[in-house]
């Protein structure tokens, strides 16, 4: 009796292929038996299987839900693969690209985000380098996330965005979600609070000064110093009307630019130009006069000199005594454009 020869083990790949073919035949037969009206079947042990048609429908449905959620978000969102290539963008991203005439085909889909950052030149290069570093850290799993606030200029407005980068999966690096959220309104609110705090500090400082100082020259000099040192203004000046000559004369200043002060004194001492200055107008009308773009404002007689001295906006406030007479002005010069608005002027007018 010869020993029974054992069958060689079947190749695992062949067995898997045969099993898959059996599953496909079984699924097709189930769909034939159910006339395509059944999405799932259950065996006698209570195990449920979704048929392929139902699985595909479920996948499409879940993908549609995810796309709807991403498109509903206000942030500009792009999905990157593990190499940094853009594989999908949301509606906000596409809308921003169209509004800003971005020339990238398909809204950047297919481009490598990292390559774009690496090739950045000009004013965008400074922010692009750390962004590329942050994205690479997230894609490699070296960092759980990355964020950066950056300015984004447009021809008509100054905008701020918050960039955040998060991994697509916590388990293993396989891509990232890049979001750009417009935070311009928040930044403007923060800047307004900072500006108002600066003006309030000047108001408080000068009010305290008035209580303890009774010498006029010292009061004027210290008031100008507080405006510059505490309020952060580029320059401050007090000018008084000389009743004997009816000329307006600067008597105190701080943070001054010698050439600018010389130009101011020259204009105020000229009978031909002095009546047309903002200083004279503030005294004549007994109310504050503001220019938030001193370089281009036609009311400012030497806007170029102001710009060269770092002055972009100014507020001229009349100094009014108890009799109601305007005896001079207190002038604030700011290095920021659009600095003096209703809130700032309301505080400054209390001086």
């Amino acid at each position: 009796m010869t020993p029974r020869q054992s069958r060689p083990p079947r190749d695992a790949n062949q067995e898997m292929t045969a099993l898959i073919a059996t599953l496909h035949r079984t699924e097709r037969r189930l769909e034939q038996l159910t006339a395509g009206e059944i999405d799932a079947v259950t065996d006698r042990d209570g195990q449920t299987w979704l048929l392929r048609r139902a699985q595909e429908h479920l996948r499409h449905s879940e993908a549609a839900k995810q796309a709807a959620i991403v498109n509903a978000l206000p942030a500009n969102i792009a999905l990157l693969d593990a190499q940094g290539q853009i594989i999908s963008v949301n509606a906000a991203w596409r809308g921003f690209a169209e509004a800003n005439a971005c020339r990238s085909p398909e809204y950047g889909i297919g481009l490598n985000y990292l390559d774009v950052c690496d090739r950045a030149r000009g004013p965008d290069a400074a922010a692009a380098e750390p962004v590329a570093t942050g994205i690479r850290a997230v894609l490699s799993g070296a960092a759980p996330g990355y964020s950066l606030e950056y300015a984004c200029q447009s021809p008509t407005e100054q905008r701020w965005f918050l960039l955040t980068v998060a991994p697509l999966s916590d388990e293993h690096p396989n891509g990232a979600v890049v979001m750009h959220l417009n935070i311009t309104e928040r930044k403007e609110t923060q800047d307004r609070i900072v500006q108002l705090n600066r003006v309030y500090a000047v108001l408080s400082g000068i009010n305290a000064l008035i209580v303890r100082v009774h010498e006029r020259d010292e009061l004027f000099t210290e008031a100008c110093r507080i405006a510059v040192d505490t309020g952060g203004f580029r320059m401050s000046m007090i000018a008084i009307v000389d009743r004997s000559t009816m000329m307006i004369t600067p008597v105190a200043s701080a943070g001054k630019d010698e050439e600018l002060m010389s130009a101011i004194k020259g204009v105020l001492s000229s009978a031909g130009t002095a009546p047309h200055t903002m200083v004279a107008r503030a005294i004549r009308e007994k109310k504050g006069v503001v220019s938030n773009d001193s370089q281009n404002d036609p009311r400012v007689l030497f806007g170029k000199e102001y710009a060269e001295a770092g002055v972009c906006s100014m507020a001229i406030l009349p100094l009014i005594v108890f009799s109601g007479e305007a005896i001079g002005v207190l002038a604030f010069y700011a290095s920021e454009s659009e600095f003096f608005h209703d809130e700032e002027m309301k505080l400054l007018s209390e001086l």
Side-chain angles (χ1 to χ4, degrees):
M1 184 175 177
T2 60
R4 189 174 183 179
Q5 294 183 349
S6 60
R7 295 171 57 189
R10 298 182 62 183
D11 183 83
N13 290 333
Q14 292 179 350
E15 185 174 354
M16 187 177 297
T17 300
L19 181 58
I20 291 173
T22 301
L23 289 172
H24 283 317
R25 288 195 301 270
T26 302
E27 186 174 43
R28 286 197 297 271
R29 183 55 179 160
L30 285 170
E31 289 183 349
Q32 291 173 359
L33 292 173
T34 60
E37 298 295 330
I38 304 299
D39 292 333
V41 294
T42 304
D43 65 11
R44 64 183 64 184
D45 296 325
Q47 297 290 331
T48 301
W49 284 272
L50 285 176
L51 299 183
R52 183 171 54 187
R53 178 173 52 80
Q55 292 175 358
E56 292 177 354
H57 176 74
L58 180 61
R59 282 196 297 268
H60 288 310
S61 177
E62 289 299 322
K65 289 179 182 178
Q66 293 175 3
I69 293 172
V70 173
N71 286 329
L73 295 175
N76 306 330
I77 300 176
L79 302 183
L80 311 184
D81 65 13
Q83 286 70 47
Q85 183 172 310
I86 301 174
I87 56 177
S88 179
V89 298
N90 72 338
W93 180 289
R94 294 190 293 271
F96 183 85
E98 292 173 354
N100 292 273
C102 294
R103 299 179 180 178
S104 300
E106 298 298 323
Y107 307 104
I109 295 176
L111 296 180
N112 189 287
Y113 203 106
L114 298 172
D115 290 344
V116 173
C117 291
D118 292 339
R119 292 197 303 266
R121 296 293 182 269
D124 296 331
E129 182 178 350
V131 168
T133 301
I135 293 176
R136 286 189 170 97
V138 173
L139 289 175
S140 67
Y146 175 78
S147 64
L148 174 73
E149 290 186 2
Y150 66 95
C152 180
Q153 295 275 9
S154 80
T156 59
E157 63 177 332
Q158 166 72 47
R159 298 172 300 194
W160 284 86
F161 285 85
L162 171 64
L163 165 75
T164 62
V165 185
L168 277 175
S169 172
D170 294 332
E171 297 178 358
H172 57 85
N174 63 352
V177 181
V178 177
M179 294 193 296
H180 298 260
L181 180 64
N182 192 323
I183 57 170
T184 303
E185 185 175 351
R186 191 194 81 188
K187 290 289 293 185
E188 289 177 346
T189 300
Q190 291 175 345
D191 291 344
R192 296 288 296 129
I193 292 173
V194 171
Q195 285 187 191
L196 288 172
N197 284 338
R198 285 168 54 185
V199 174
Y200 184 76
V202 172
L203 176 62
S204 299
I206 293 180
N207 281 339
L209 182 69
I210 291 172
V211 173
R212 63 180 177 82
V213 174
H214 301 286
E215 181 66 31
R216 193 190 77 160
D217 291 344
E218 182 183 358
L219 176 64
F220 286 172
T221 300
E222 285 300 300
C224 291
R225 183 192 61 78
I226 289 173
V228 172
D229 294 348
T230 303
F233 288 103
R234 175 64 183 83
M235 190 173 76
S236 180
M237 178 192 73
I238 292 179
I240 298 297
V241 178
D242 185 341
R243 293 301 171 185
S244 61
T245 61
M246 296 307 294
M247 301 301 295
I248 306 170
T249 305
V251 295
S253 63
K256 63 184 179 182
D257 179 279
E258 293 298 337
E259 292 185 6
L260 180 59
M261 281 303 302
S262 177
I264 292 174
K265 290 178 180 178
V267 169
L268 293 179
S269 63
S270 171
T273 57
H276 305 292
T277 62
M278 293 174 61
V279 171
R281 178 182 170 188
I283 294 173
R284 185 167 56 247
E285 299 179 1
K286 298 181 183 179
K287 65 180 182 180
V289 181
V290 172
S291 173
N292 277 315
D293 184 9
S294 54
Q295 184 174 3
N296 300 305
D297 191 334
R299 298 174 301 167
V300 180
L301 298 184
F302 37 92
K304 181 179 179 181
E305 287 81 355
Y306 278 117
E308 291 175 350
V311 174
C312 294
S313 55
M314 62 183 70
I316 314 296
L317 305 173
L319 296 176
I320 300 176
V321 294
F322 290 112
S323 63
E325 180 185 8
I327 65 167
V329 296
L330 171 56
F332 296 97
Y333 302 87
S335 56
E336 303 92 344
S337 298
E338 298 296 328
F339 186 93
F340 298 101
H341 295 280
D342 291 343
E343 295 90 344
E344 287 82 4
M345 293 305 296
K346 183 177 180 180
L347 287 173
L348 290 174
S349 296
E350 296 182 21
L351 289 171

